[in-house]
Amino acid sequence: MKPPPFEYHAPVSVSEALEALAATGPHGKVLAGGQSLIPLLNMRLVAPSHLVDINRIGELDTLTAGADGVRVGALARHATVERSTEAAAVQPLLRQALRLVAHPVIRNRGTVVGSLVHADPSAEMPAVLALLGGSVRLACLGGEREVAAADFFTGPMESAVEPGELAVSAFFPAPPPRSGTAFREVSRRHGDYAVAGMAALVTLDEDLRIASARVACVSVGPGPVVVDVSDACARRPAASVPWDAVAAAVRDRIDPEGDIHATAGYRRHLTGVLAERALKDAARNAGTEAAHE
């Protein structure tokens, strides 16, 4: 299949891109990695009359890791972030999740920020950003704004990006001390979108008891569903936490829908299983992190 006709723009700077997006308004679409957009164009599920290709804008191809977190530029590819030892040292959940994104050939071209803007509720990156309380920086001719993850995902395949705006970067905060993360998912075939998935973040106190525990569920709502299960962990050491009860608390907080891939009941069950496994993994990683202090 072929895409519908469109006018092609190839800016070489952010200012040129913003001018093009301002001129095209709701009729313009940004092309970065294209791993989601191109199939949608070819299947004619989207039909923008203008395509703004930002791949020539070198200033967007950035990845910086600092003590406070990792900032990923709009053209940083999945594979680049996945392979970055600096990014993984600051925020391990990025690598843990990115290893599960599709296939290497997709990760070599697809972008982290593009995945966030695409806002697929079955994708890994939105769950990571939501769990960590990250943000996306949006630019337009009038300036920039930073949108928190809690406000960024507005519905299935919908984000807070307005016509004329360009997502220029995303920020993934570093975890607190004595924290551990993990990502688990199940898909019908390797590389497919997850039938259900789970990102987990566990933080220990100075006595190595669980101070906080949160998860972000994938494929069970219109966007990533964040659940705080700290109370269910009851400030216990990880070895004495009733993880099955914690998983039940996660299941009780979701309202999945059935589709051709799985029934709602199976998704709910699978989410509980993945929550227990991911939280155990994260608690174990938190203990390892604490031992290295």
Side-chain angles (χ1 to χ4, degrees):
M1 299 179 69
K2 301 296 182 182
F6 55 80
E7 186 175 339
Y8 178 74
H9 305 260
V12 295
S13 68
V14 171
S15 59
E16 285 186 18
L18 296 180
E19 289 172 1
L21 289 170
T24 58
H27 305 292
K29 199 78 173 174
V30 174
L31 172 65
Q35 300 307 293
S36 298
L37 177 59
I38 297 302
L40 291 176
L41 286 170
N42 287 341
M43 290 185 285
R44 303 205 172 199
L45 296 175
V46 295
S49 52
H50 297 266
L51 199 63
V52 182
D53 184 348
I54 64 171
N55 280 279
R56 294 167 180 80
I57 307 176
E59 60 189 290
L60 295 179
D61 190 4
T62 58
L63 176 62
T64 57
D68 58 340
V70 179
R71 184 164 290 278
V72 181
L75 285 182
R77 312 296 171 177
H78 290 309
T80 300
V81 181
E82 176 192 354
R83 295 167 187 162
S84 171
T85 55
E86 294 82 3
V90 173
Q91 184 43 265
L93 187 57
L94 283 169
R95 176 175 288 176
Q96 292 163 348
L98 283 167
R99 285 175 171 171
L100 299 173
V101 173
H103 301 279
V105 67
I106 300 295
R107 297 198 295 273
N108 285 340
R109 190 65 188 168
T111 63
V112 169
V113 174
S115 178
L116 297 174
V117 173
H118 188 54
D120 192 315
S122 298
E124 294 84 359
M125 287 297 98
V128 171
L129 192 79
L131 178 65
L132 299 177
S135 60
V136 178
R137 182 171 295 169
L138 305 177
C140 67
L141 285 180
E144 291 185 341
R145 63 187 180 115
E146 197 86 18
V147 182
D151 301 317
F152 186 75
F153 304 106
T154 59
M157 320 289 275
E158 296 180 351
S159 73
V161 181
E162 298 288 346
E165 287 188 319
L166 173 66
V168 294
S169 67
F171 182 70
F172 298 87
R178 299 182 299 277
S179 292
T181 58
F183 202 107
R184 291 281 195 126
E185 72 177 34
V186 169
S187 57
R188 295 184 66 187
R189 297 174 301 180
H190 173 67
D192 281 2
Y193 279 113
V195 174
M198 189 69 54
L201 171 63
V202 173
T203 302
L204 307 180
D205 62 18
E206 293 181 354
D207 297 323
L208 302 186
R209 298 174 180 271
I210 293 181
S212 67
R214 299 168 70 237
V215 296
C217 310
V218 175
S219 292
V220 296
V225 179
V226 178
V227 181
D228 191 324
V229 290
S230 303
D231 290 344
C233 294
R235 207 93 185 183
R236 298 183 181 187
S240 64
V241 170
W243 292 113
D244 55 343
V246 176
V250 175
R251 287 198 302 270
D252 291 343
R253 293 282 298 278
I254 62 172
D255 186 23
E257 295 183 355
D259 55 26
I260 61 172
H261 303 296
T263 64
Y266 178 62
R267 271 207 171 89
R268 186 183 299 278
H269 166 76
L270 195 55
T271 296
V273 172
L274 293 173
E276 181 171 352
R277 293 177 181 177
L279 284 164
K280 283 182 177 179
D281 289 346
R284 187 182 310 111
N285 292 336
T288 301
E289 182 68 20
H292 291 159
E293 287 189 342

